[in-house]
Amino acid sequence: MTTKLKNDRYLRALAKQPVDRTPIWMMRQAGRYLPEYREVRKEAGDFMALCRNAELACEVTLQPLRRFPLDAAILFSDILTIPDAMGLGLYFEEGEGPRFKHPLRDMQSIEALPIPDPEDELGYVMRAVSTIRRELKGEVPLIGFAGSPWTLATYMVEGGSSKNFSEVKKMAFAEPKMMHMLLDKLAQSVTSYLNAQVANGAQALMIFDTWGGVLSPRAYREFSLRYMEQIIDGLTREADGRKVPVTLFTKNGGQWLEAMAATGCDALGIDWTTDMGEARTRVGDKVALQGNMDPSMLYATPERIREEVETILKSYGQGTGQVFNLGHGIHPGVKPENAGAFIEAVTELSPKYHG
Ligand code: 1CP
């Protein structure tokens, strides 16, 4: 597919090419804070039914782009599609997070885990990718994504969300062989899944390592970073004659930016606990930076949001290489108008930092 992009600000900033203003998109930009999302989700029945229906997944991907002048679309899906395709039985308990019917606790079940074929068991995701790419009509690039092996393992071993990660850490520290077998299978699965997303139309990729930051520095390298590097080594890095940039996001990973930048990725997602300007000084000659407003700032007044946007733009400073975003996903309780004020602030205040 070779439609020329009408707005390629996001890809240009990631490649550190000049831009007229700082591009912006929001993590979890499609989701429960939008009434039109809640409508479609009701129509679909439940979250996974929405992910499995390419037309509806496309519709909710496009919803935030109709409201706001965003510079990228992100595939509507979830990181937990891979463990589901490996046979763990994903389900969502009303009002609670994701759960697995068959959490992993022993060597036998890890040895038996299949590496899913992305065009088969995950074919519904590929159909969503190609549908969205077609319907975007070249307006903005489409971001594909996956969870990091460590982050996926936390859900698979704990059986769902966790507060202290005791089961998954128990496996990592008491049964490291078992954990490494699981992480290696996940790295292989994520690599072929992301490559299939690119083959079906994704123009950029993001790896979400939401829970890498709960590890010690040594354990982070051993159980999380190393497998993200393995994935990056195996990724298709070009499509339609253009580079497919990869962004790595470890929540609470601020202390490891140098090591993350050395993986061969194109950009780092940073959360709000790291100063944007300091991050640029540390790794800005190697990678682009995405972030990093605290999503809770969207509860403040439009004036306060604008002030915060200016602070972050000023902290990054002049020139390209920044993609504006939140430091983590937008909360379901945020008013859409406030998200609008945030995006408007970035589009209005950022041109003076370019050109
Ligand atoms: O409608 C609903 O109630 C379901 C809520 C929901 C949504 C909207 C879930 C369940 N997933 C999603 C979509 C989703 N998840 C996207 C869509 C694209 C977008 O608009 O950004 C993406 C990129 C994700 C990624 C994801 N899922 C991550 C990594 C990013 C992050 O936020 O840290 C994680 C950790 C998940 C797991 C997950 N899936 C859903 C929930 C509520 C969770 C978090 C559970 C937890 O906190 O442990």
Side-chain angles (χ1 to χ4, degrees):
M1 217 184 301
T2 47
T3 30
K4 197 170 161 2
L5 269 172
K6 291 174 198 152
N7 169 357
D8 65 351
R9 228 178 246 122
Y10 167 77
L11 295 179
R12 291 183 64 83
L14 289 179
K16 297 187 168 225
Q17 294 161 349
V19 284
D20 56 342
R21 65 162 174 81
T22 308
I24 177 166
W25 69 281
M26 291 188 298
M27 283 203 256
R28 297 284 182 98
Q29 63 192 21
R32 281 177 298 173
Y33 74 107
L34 290 177
E36 60 269 36
Y37 168 83
R38 295 194 296 267
E39 274 301 305
V40 175
R41 201 194 126 163
K42 207 159 51 178
E43 186 189 323
D46 62 55
F47 175 72
M48 279 313 283
L50 180 49
C51 293
R52 286 180 196 279
N53 182 321
E55 301 304 320
L56 294 183
C58 175
E59 168 58 22
V60 297
T61 299
L62 299 182
Q63 283 174 345
L65 293 140
R66 291 193 195 113
R67 268 189 191 250
F68 312 120
L70 294 157
D71 296 301
I74 181 161
L75 161 69
F76 187 84
S77 188
D78 198 77
I79 63 166
L80 300 176
T81 52
I82 286 186
D84 184 55
M86 287 173 136
L88 268 68
L90 174 65
Y91 67 102
F92 285 84
E93 205 70 90
E94 199 54 45
E96 304 197 22
R99 292 276 171 79
F100 286 111
K101 284 192 199 114
H102 317 290
L104 297 173
R105 295 288 159 82
D106 55 57
M107 194 63 161
Q108 224 180 348
S109 32
I110 292 171
E111 276 173 346
L113 277 181
I115 297 186
D117 176 349
E119 300 286 355
D120 185 3
E121 294 95 294
L122 291 159
Y124 67 93
V125 179
M126 302 311 142
R127 285 189 286 281
V129 171
S130 56
T131 305
I132 297 163
R133 174 70 189 268
R134 188 186 70 226
E135 293 305 315
L136 275 171
K137 300 187 168 75
E139 288 295 334
V140 292
L142 173 60
I143 306 170
F145 71 90
S148 74
W150 169 256
T151 292
L152 295 178
T154 67
Y155 290 98
M156 294 166 84
V157 176
E158 298 288 337
S161 307
S162 178
K163 280 212 165 70
N164 53 16
F165 301 92
S166 53
E167 291 298 332
V168 71
K169 287 189 176 181
K170 192 200 293 178
M171 188 185 289
F173 301 146
E175 303 282 354
K177 265 211 183 98
M178 214 152 108
M179 180 52 84
H180 283 299
M181 181 183 287
L182 171 58
L183 293 170
D184 180 65
K185 284 192 173 193
L186 285 168
Q188 292 181 50
S189 305
V190 169
T191 307
S192 67
Y193 181 62
L194 290 176
N195 283 338
Q197 290 185 33
V198 172
N200 281 279
Q203 291 148 295
L205 296 171
M206 179 147 172
I207 300 173
F208 290 102
D209 185 31
T210 306
W211 302 119
V214 305
L215 293 167
S216 70
R218 179 177 159 186
Y220 173 70
R221 284 168 197 269
E222 179 178 351
F223 297 109
S224 186
L225 190 67
R226 172 176 151 189
Y227 291 95
M228 295 197 282
E229 193 164 5
Q230 183 178 325
I231 293 165
I232 292 168
D233 283 346
L235 289 179
T236 311
R237 302 299 286 276
E238 211 188 284
D240 301 345
R242 230 178 147 144
K243 190 164 187 202
V244 179
V246 183
T247 300
L248 213 59
F249 170 71
T250 292
K251 177 137 187 292
N252 281 312
Q255 58 175 323
W256 302 315
L257 298 185
E258 290 83 355
M260 292 169 73
T263 56
C265 66
D266 299 275
L268 301 181
I270 64 174
D271 67 32
W272 60 93
T273 61
T274 297
D275 179 81
M276 189 47 92
E278 280 172 30
R280 187 180 189 182
T281 306
R282 285 166 58 196
V283 297
D285 57 336
K286 284 210 180 62
V287 288
L289 293 168
Q290 173 182 287
N292 69 338
M293 194 176 86
D294 184 340
S296 297
M297 191 54 74
L298 294 179
Y299 293 116
T301 60
E303 294 71 33
R304 180 67 187 88
I305 292 169
R306 204 175 168 86
E307 211 181 288
E308 192 69 11
V309 165
E310 185 79 87
T311 303
I312 295 167
L313 286 169
K314 203 166 156 192
S315 171
Y316 185 83
Q318 285 292 322
T320 188
Q322 188 192 8
V323 171
F324 219 103
N325 205 312
L326 301 169
H328 199 205
I330 185 169
H331 300 172
V334 162
K335 286 191 247 160
E337 307 88 90
N338 287 21
F342 166 57
I343 294 156
E344 189 180 283
V346 175
T347 60
E348 288 179 4
L349 298 173
S350 67
K352 63 177 180 284
Y353 294 94
H354 301 276

